[in-house]
Amino acid sequence: MVIVLVPVVLGLLVRLLLPRLVQRVLPVMPWFSVLVICLVVAIVVSLSADRLVEAGLLVTAAVILHNLSGATLAGWFRRRDARAEAGATAVQPRS
């Protein structure tokens, strides 16, 4: 919990105390966050490289299954929501 709470509190404090700095760096923050996430993933994967090689086929199958199930569920929900919205109207007709 502390791992999540500390950055959130620090971020709120920086926004409160240094709003002009936040406005200047805000445009580059998405790129910075992507870079940091890639770096963290690279470190975790490199530290687990031996175990990943040993379990390569199993990990590959798990990743494929995970991605396919996510895509399938997303498509199912999208179709279900489209059908629900098709029957809805923004303005109700008078009776």
Side-chain angles (χ1 to χ4, degrees):
M1 182 168 152
V2 174
I3 292 174
V4 173
L5 197 57
V6 169
V8 170
V9 170
L10 288 176
L12 290 172
L13 284 174
V14 168
R15 274 187 171 267
L16 184 67
L17 300 174
L18 304 167
R20 289 178 30 201
L21 174 66
V22 170
Q23 288 303 317
R24 283 197 347 236
V25 299
L26 208 54
V28 298
M29 288 309 290
W31 293 103
F32 178 73
S33 66
V34 167
L35 181 65
V36 170
I37 289 169
C38 289
L39 185 62
V40 168
V41 169
I43 290 170
V44 169
V45 168
S46 68
L47 292 175
S48 304
D50 294 336
R51 283 183 263 161
L52 288 173
V53 169
E54 290 174 10
L57 190 57
L58 181 62
V59 170
T60 302
V63 168
I64 290 171
L65 183 62
H66 175 266
N67 290 339
L68 285 175
S69 63
T72 301
L73 284 172
W76 182 77
F77 279 115
R78 186 175 54 246
R79 283 190 301 279
R80 190 190 71 155
D81 288 345
R83 284 194 301 265
E85 288 179 8
T89 58
V91 179
Q92 297 295 325
R94 289 186 185 190
S95 9

